[in-house]
Amino acid sequence: MLLKTILNRVHQIKGFVYTDVKFEEFPSLTITVKIESRKNGKGRCSLCGARCPGYDRLPERRFEFIPLWNIPVLLLCRLRRVSCSEHGVVVEQIPWAKGKEQTTTAFQIFLSQWAKLLSWKEVALRFRTSWDTVCLSLKRVVEYGLEHRDLSNIESIGVDEIAIGKGHDYVTMVYQIDDATKRLLWIGKDRKVKTLLRFFMDFGKERTKSIKFVCSDMWRPYLKVIAKKIPTALNILDRFHIMKKFNDALDKIRSGEAGKLRQDGKEPVLTKTRWLLLKRPQNLTCKQKGHLKKLLQYNLKSVRAYLLREDFQHFWSVYIINMGIKIPG
Ligand SMILES: [Zn+2]
């Protein structure tokens, strides 16, 4: 009786009522709840949704519902077949499950919420169902989400690649990174020009027009597609890659210049200064700081390159952040 009251509160089914609740002991403890259609209520055609006269009833079907006290709960129902003027004799539409599936939508949602926290296998074990059921549940929830998601007014996106498995297998991920909404929008195999082109194709021309900011790394195929598809958007490159380029250039200038000083028989002021120039100033030891201060007084190409890099750091932290664009790192 209590279970029926709970079910009526949390999982009411329009046009149907809960009737018998039973404990089945074999093969394992299970709670079964019968569902019956309301008297005089007409069934709906599962193809068009129209109310139709009944035809006959099918043998009882069982649907997995959310377990109670970790005891599996099954909803039992003898579905009607209805006679639709357009589709002929078809099985009735049921609001608690999809098509021929044996899992209720409520249980699918429940499982997919747990699958965010635990592995699929663990979820299946804990709630006494199969791995396949967990997988199908996620598939259904994702399908529903994709059908109902709102992709309007996306202004900022982030493009990144991640390596999957061993070797050089990659996928391209596109995220929405607006202040109010951060979410994964799209995943595509590889990190080629055509991968990202496919995203823009799926995303559509109209929506693409609203993009104002794109964050990406300096992977050339991405830069190429971004420049082609959204030439008016501001492409913000990831700081890590820019700094790497800066440091590579700085190191090249320094070693060239150090060699030249030696060659010309001048004072070797650039000897042992590699890490002095490459490390972030805040990571230097006191002794190194003193050494750097002295070095910066020389009129050298390496010093100018160093100061340029530090200017860029300043630009990044002040200018970009003042524009209200929050970029991790
Ligand atoms: Zn129909």
Side-chain angles (χ1 to χ4, degrees):
M1 199 60 209
L2 173 68
L3 187 57
K4 250 160 66 176
T5 317
I6 296 173
L7 279 169
N8 276 319
R9 278 292 289 276
V10 300
H11 193 254
Q12 210 175 33
I13 309 170
K14 211 177 163 198
F16 294 84
V17 284
Y18 294 105
T19 55
D20 288 350
V21 177
K22 274 188 190 155
F23 276 95
E24 281 183 12
E25 304 272 348
F26 298 102
S28 59
L29 188 62
T30 309
I31 301 170
T32 62
V33 185
K34 268 195 180 162
I35 303 177
E36 278 173 26
S37 49
R38 282 189 192 280
K39 282 199 177 89
N40 307 323
K42 276 185 172 178
R44 287 178 184 274
C45 164
S46 53
L47 297 174
C48 65
R51 285 191 187 282
C52 313
Y55 182 79
D56 62 359
R57 271 183 197 279
L58 296 170
E60 191 173 78
R61 266 179 65 186
R62 303 183 142 217
F63 301 88
E64 277 185 277
F65 191 68
I66 303 165
L68 213 60
W69 303 289
N70 215 14
I71 305 168
V73 176
L74 293 174
L75 305 184
L76 317 180
C77 188
R78 286 194 63 190
L79 300 183
R80 289 169 288 186
R81 282 203 299 172
V82 294
S83 178
C84 174
S85 55
E86 205 184 322
H87 299 104
V89 175
V90 287
V91 69
E92 70 175 321
Q93 190 182 67
I94 45 167
W96 63 85
K98 200 172 176 179
K100 289 182 177 148
E101 283 167 20
Q102 289 175 1
T103 327
T104 57
T105 307
F107 191 38
Q108 291 181 343
I109 296 170
F110 177 86
L111 290 174
S112 23
Q113 281 167 345
W114 277 101
K116 281 187 190 171
L117 306 169
L118 305 170
S119 73
W120 297 8
K121 195 179 158 196
E122 189 70 23
V123 174
L125 279 171
R126 291 226 172 173
F127 300 106
R128 298 191 184 193
T129 186
S130 67
W131 185 91
D132 288 330
T133 303
V134 178
C135 177
L136 178 79
S137 303
L138 279 149
K139 200 170 163 232
R140 290 286 173 259
V141 169
V142 169
E143 276 168 2
Y144 180 89
L146 289 178
E147 272 167 34
H148 292 82
R149 70 178 173 168
D150 177 10
L151 291 176
S152 57
N153 302 321
I154 294 177
E155 293 193 344
S156 317
I157 60 164
V159 182
D160 202 5
E161 80 261 24
I162 54 163
I164 48 163
K166 284 176 189 164
H168 283 279
D169 277 341
Y170 290 91
V171 289
T172 297
M173 325 267 278
V174 182
Y175 293 88
Q176 176 180 7
I177 49 170
D178 283 311
D179 251 1
T181 320
K182 288 180 181 56
R183 59 180 165 165
L184 177 65
L185 293 175
W186 190 87
I187 303 181
K189 203 173 174 300
D190 291 328
R191 49 170 184 169
K192 298 177 182 161
V193 164
K194 69 176 182 192
T195 317
L196 196 56
L197 278 176
R198 216 162 44 229
F199 161 74
F200 283 106
M201 208 168 79
D202 291 354
F203 198 58
K205 268 188 186 163
E206 276 309 304
R207 290 196 201 104
T208 302
K209 279 183 196 162
S210 67
I211 300 174
K212 291 183 182 153
F213 304 101
V214 191
C215 291
S216 70
D217 61 17
M218 296 177 75
W219 180 241
R220 212 165 282 277
Y222 291 165
L223 298 182
K224 210 169 146 185
V225 177
I226 291 166
K228 184 169 180 251
K229 288 288 171 185
I230 27 178
T232 54
L234 181 64
N235 189 358
I236 300 154
L237 301 169
D238 121 36
R239 188 182 190 173
F240 174 80
H241 283 87
I242 301 177
M243 287 324 293
K244 195 175 172 302
K245 295 262 176 194
F246 261 112
N247 284 340
D248 289 349
L250 176 57
D251 202 34
K252 210 171 149 191
I253 293 169
R254 187 206 54 83
S255 78
E257 201 172 29
K260 195 159 185 309
L261 288 179
R262 258 197 315 272
Q263 223 174 37
D264 298 349
K266 290 185 181 162
E267 194 187 350
V269 283
L270 284 169
T271 315
K272 291 189 180 167
T273 58
R274 182 169 190 223
W275 295 109
L276 216 56
L277 296 174
L278 292 184
K279 268 167 94 176
R280 300 291 306 273
Q282 61 267 37
N283 297 336
L284 296 174
T285 61
C286 274
K287 202 178 155 198
Q288 285 175 322
K289 277 180 190 164
H291 188 176
L292 178 68
K293 205 173 162 190
K294 267 189 206 160
L295 180 68
L296 293 182
Q297 286 165 1
Y298 287 91
N299 181 18
L300 292 169
K301 270 191 204 166
S302 313
V303 169
R304 286 198 295 277
Y306 173 85
L307 293 175
L308 192 67
R309 189 198 67 184
E310 286 311 296
D311 261 357
F312 174 75
Q313 297 279 28
H314 180 72
F315 157 80
W316 189 278
S317 51
V318 178
Y319 185 64
I320 299 279
I321 290 165
N322 279 350
M323 280 171 73
I325 309 161
K326 293 187 188 115
I327 300 144

